């Protein structure tokens, strides 16, 4: 079965602007925002117009390509504009390593072209950013094929946040596994956790799965344990924002809680991510920078205050699930099982 969401583009680029599907407005409205400068692109990432680790990496790459088109031709001014864009966009969100990976890849291309003219570099940037985008979709499809083998026919899969087409170049990582299972002829039901405080599960995962014809049920994050205890969850599949050398995984806040619950109930817990999410430079999850977002995300729901005046708030946007709670990590290279001796990303099932 094919997926209709191939027609949805969370990120696009036309040489004049980076075009973002405004995910803040979903599921109510489908509107696109045109970003004309690196500062616009950084704001789009910071304000969650676009979100999801691979999608913000792709956006960052297009943002640097865009800045090169806006830059003066003279070598010094051109280099300053490109470096400023990399710095401004790189500062937009800290946790997802894909953002920094994509910027490093674009800047690597830039430094390899030292002495080339501005137009040659602009063309190379456009091509590199488009490659990053296309490769992400290809990696997601490979993740979907590898992951499909882990999903039994008739499974009910619990997922958290949105690791779907909206969070990537298209197709998705965790939702790519679910799409892959369906394309392999399996029947799959999905439990989407609403994902407080930003409601990526309720607003985005439910939207893209319903739109794609899946059987999807929304639950509050707090209900996951009760459903697991009743035997209603076959396995969990989530995405990732950064995976360290030992397999520890940063993902949306609440992921760790699901992993603890899944372990308690002997339910397989899978992480699906492309290799652009791997950060072998960090030995373990304690080194991952965790973004703290505005208190208002917790104090207000859709513009309505839901908490007492004067209360304090802690709002970490991500948590770290230790490798020991992860049954397997699915990348485009295959299915990898973390173990006590570390995580080499080379092991096959
Ligand atoms: O704050 P967000 O919405 O950018 O967080 C997104 C997630 O945590 C996703 O699960 C992760 O980026 C993987 S997306 C394929």
């Amino acid at each position: 079965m094919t997926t209709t969401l191939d027609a949805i583009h969370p990120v696009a680029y036309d040489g004049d602007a980076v075009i973002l599907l405004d995910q803040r407005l979903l599921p109510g409205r489908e509107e696109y925002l045109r970003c004309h400068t690196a500062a616009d692109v950084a704001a789009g990432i910071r304000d969650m117009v676009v979100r999801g680790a691979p999608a913000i990496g792709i956006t960052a790459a297009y943002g640097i390509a865009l800045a090169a088109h806006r830059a003066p031709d003279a070598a010094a001014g051109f280099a300053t504009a490109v470096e400023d864009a990399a710095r401004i966009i790189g500062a937009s969100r800290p946790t997802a390593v894909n953002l920094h990976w994509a910027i490093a890849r674009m800047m690597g291309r830039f430094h390899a072209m030292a002495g080339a003219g501005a137009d040659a570099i602009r063309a190379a940037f456009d091509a590199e950013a488009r490659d990053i985008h296309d490769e992400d979709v290809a990696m997601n499809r490979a993740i979907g094929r590898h992951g499909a083998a882990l999903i039994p026919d008739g499974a009910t899969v619990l997922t958290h946040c949105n690791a779907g087409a909206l969070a990537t170049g298209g197709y998705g990582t965790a939702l790519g596994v679910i799409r892959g299972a369906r394309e392999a002829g399996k029947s799959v039901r999905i439990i989407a956790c609403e994902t407080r405080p930003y409601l990526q599960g309720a607003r985005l995962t439910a939207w893209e799965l319903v739109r794609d014809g899946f059987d999807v049920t929304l639950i509050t994050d707090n209900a996951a344990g009760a459903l697991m205890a009743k035997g209603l969850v076959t396995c969990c599949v989530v995405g990732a924002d950064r995976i360290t050398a030992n397999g520890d995984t940063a993902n949306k806040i609440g992921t760790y809680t699901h992993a603890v619950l899944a372990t308690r109930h002997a339910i397989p817990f899978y992480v699906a991510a492309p290799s652009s999410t791997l950060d072998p430079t960090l030995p373990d999850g304690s080194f991952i920078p965790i973004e703290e977002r505005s208190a208002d995300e917790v104090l207000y729901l859709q513009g309505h205050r839901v908490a007492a005046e004067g209360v304090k708030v802690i709002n970490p946007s991500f948590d770290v699930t230790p490798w020991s709670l992860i049954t397997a990590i699915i990348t485009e290279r295959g299915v990898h099982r973390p173990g006590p001796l570390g995580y080499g990303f080379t092991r096959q099932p």
Side-chain angles (χ1 to χ4, degrees), residues 48 51-54 93 160-163 167-168 173 200 239-241 251-252 317-318:
M48 312 267 277
R51 30 66 51 202
R93 290 191 81 186
H160 189 69
C161 194
N162 172 264
T168 61
T173 56
Q200 289 94 331
D241 288 83
N251 192 50
K252 180 51 54 193
S317 195
F318 301 94

